[in-house]
Amino acid sequence: MTDQEKLFIKMALDAWHIQIDRTNSLINSLSDEQLQQEVAPGRNSGVYLLGHLTAVHDALFPLLGIGDRMYAHFDEIFVNNPDKSGLPKPGAQELRTSWAAVNGKLSQHFGSFSLKDWFTKHTAISDEDFKKEPHRNRLNVLLNRTGHLANHLGQMIFLKS
Amino acid sequence: MTDQEKLFIKMALDAWHIQIDRTNSLINSLSDEQLQQEVAPGRNSGVYLLGHLTAVHDALFPLLGIGDRMYAHFDEIFVNNPDKSGLPKPGAQELRTSWAAVNGKLSQHFGSFSLKDWFTKHTAISDEDFKKEPHRNRLNVLLNRTGHLANHLGQMIFLKS
């Protein structure tokens, strides 16, 4: 691995952890009641966004080929349907625990990835397409999910009064 | 440059352009009146956030050592003071133009950077500190500003009714 390659992996992981840490600080500062509020009138609630982020991060296990889903049933509630679907949702405490569990396990995997692991294709692209589009690797997934988290974190900040 | 090195420059730039393009699509879909609204009750207005993002991106010219500020006077209005400072703000049209001008010029520079250029230190760190913390380079600035843009873009989306 060249020095640049090592540095880039560190920078991409730092960018991920910056958004994760900010999200953790935010939700730790909020009561369950605050988390249940809509982030803005008529918009998603904090619990919906936290469940949504947990489901999307949990989906990284199969997408990156590093394990099975921990909370596959979250997809129906938090990805395939909107906040006001009427589907029963896990409580705030359960969501906090699930969010921490998924990211903790992801961090363990990320910390053990070699450069080659990061530049391996994700599981949603064929070998043939990956030859033509080699940027569609695990590291690219990390960068994209960092952006996704950052988008929603910007919204969740509004839960703070 | 190794294949991996080429790929991660592409991925980092793609991540930046994804957030820039989404912001452009959003503001192009909004009227000036919509842009002047607060993104949520009591929160920043769309024009304030657009001016803030323009000022922060404009500050990349000196930070990356690639030129002078285009809109240095935006800092007082959009960075050093809050939305309700009472300071007169540029109009929505002027902000749209400034935003496009800054990002257009940044894109030109980014497109011409070599790998070495990206791993050069930014101007806010000393040579001595950079030896100890070589990740504090231009590419890291790009990743951090991508996260910053993504945070605020998530908020600006609420301007859409």
Side-chain angles (χ1 to χ4, degrees):
Chain A
M1 216 191 292
T2 69
D3 284 349
Q4 267 93 349
E5 287 165 349
K6 272 183 222 162
L7 277 179
F8 187 75
I9 302 294
K10 172 183 167 45
M11 292 190 288
L13 277 173
D14 282 354
W16 166 261
H17 285 296
I18 283 171
Q19 301 293 331
I20 293 278
D21 291 349
R22 285 189 192 154
T23 307
N24 290 341
S25 295
L26 174 68
I27 64 176
N28 289 341
S29 77
L30 297 171
S31 67
D32 289 354
E33 291 66 35
Q34 285 176 299
L35 207 52
Q36 278 148 2
Q37 303 297 310
E38 293 175 339
V39 298
R43 303 293 176 173
N44 289 319
S45 63
V47 288
Y48 182 82
L49 287 176
L50 189 59
H52 174 73
L53 289 169
T54 303
V56 168
H57 290 196
D58 187 40
L60 290 176
F61 295 113
L63 183 60
L64 301 181
I66 54 177
D68 293 328
R69 295 288 303 260
M70 300 173 72
Y71 305 96
H73 60 291
F74 276 22
D75 278 10
E76 193 60 15
I77 311 168
F78 296 115
V79 179
N80 303 336
N81 284 291
D83 196 358
K84 277 82 181 180
S85 63
L87 293 171
K89 290 185 181 60
Q93 282 301 321
E94 187 181 340
L95 285 169
R96 291 176 191 273
T97 308
S98 313
W99 167 251
V102 165
N103 292 316
K105 201 170 158 193
L106 283 175
S107 276
Q108 285 181 3
H109 283 285
F110 294 168
S112 71
F113 275 8
S114 67
L115 180 75
K116 195 181 156 204
D117 289 332
W118 281 116
F119 281 90
T120 299
K121 78 178 189 68
H122 59 69
T123 61
I125 181 173
S126 68
D127 289 337
E128 193 178 10
D129 286 345
F130 188 58
K131 275 183 199 152
K132 287 176 278 181
E133 301 179 281
H135 65 281
R136 295 176 64 184
N137 52 47
R138 287 160 157 176
L139 192 57
N140 203 41
V141 171
L142 180 74
L143 291 177
N144 287 336
R145 291 309 179 280
T146 300
H148 176 256
L149 171 56
N151 288 146
H152 287 306
L153 173 57
Q155 300 170 339
M156 292 176 73
I157 287 166
F158 290 162
L159 293 166
K160 282 199 84 98
S161 45
Chain B
M1 214 191 292
T2 68
D3 284 349
Q4 267 92 348
E5 287 166 350
K6 273 183 220 160
L7 277 180
F8 64 58
I9 301 296
K10 173 184 166 46
M11 292 189 288
L13 277 173
D14 282 354
W16 166 261
H17 285 296
I18 284 170
Q19 300 293 334
I20 293 278
D21 291 349
R22 283 188 191 155
T23 307
N24 290 341
S25 296
L26 174 68
I27 64 175
N28 290 341
S29 77
L30 297 171
S31 66
D32 289 354
E33 290 67 34
Q34 284 175 300
L35 207 53
Q36 278 149 2
Q37 303 297 310
E38 292 175 341
V39 299
R43 303 294 177 173
N44 289 319
S45 62
V47 288
Y48 182 82
L49 287 176
L50 189 58
H52 175 74
L53 290 169
T54 303
V56 169
H57 290 196
D58 187 40
L60 290 175
F61 295 113
L63 183 61
L64 301 180
I66 55 176
D68 293 327
R69 297 286 302 260
M70 299 172 74
Y71 305 95
H73 60 292
F74 277 22
D75 278 9
E76 193 61 16
I77 311 168
F78 296 114
V79 179
N80 303 336
N81 284 289
D83 196 358
K84 277 82 178 178
S85 63
L87 292 172
K89 289 185 182 59
Q93 282 301 321
E94 187 180 340
L95 285 169
R96 292 175 191 273
T97 307
S98 313
W99 166 250
V102 166
N103 293 315
K105 200 171 159 191
L106 284 175
S107 276
Q108 284 181 3
H109 283 285
F110 293 166
S112 72
F113 274 9
S114 68
L115 181 76
K116 194 181 158 204
D117 289 333
W118 280 116
F119 281 89
T120 299
K121 80 178 188 66
H122 58 68
T123 61
I125 181 174
S126 69
D127 288 338
E128 194 176 12
D129 286 346
F130 188 59
K131 273 183 199 151
K132 288 176 276 181
E133 301 179 282
H135 65 280
R136 295 177 65 184
N137 52 47
R138 288 162 159 174
L139 193 57
N140 202 41
V141 172
L142 180 75
L143 291 176
N144 287 337
R145 292 308 179 281
T146 301
H148 176 257
L149 171 56
N151 288 147
H152 288 305
L153 173 57
Q155 301 170 338
M156 290 176 74
I157 286 167
F158 290 163
L159 293 167
K160 281 198 84 98
S161 44

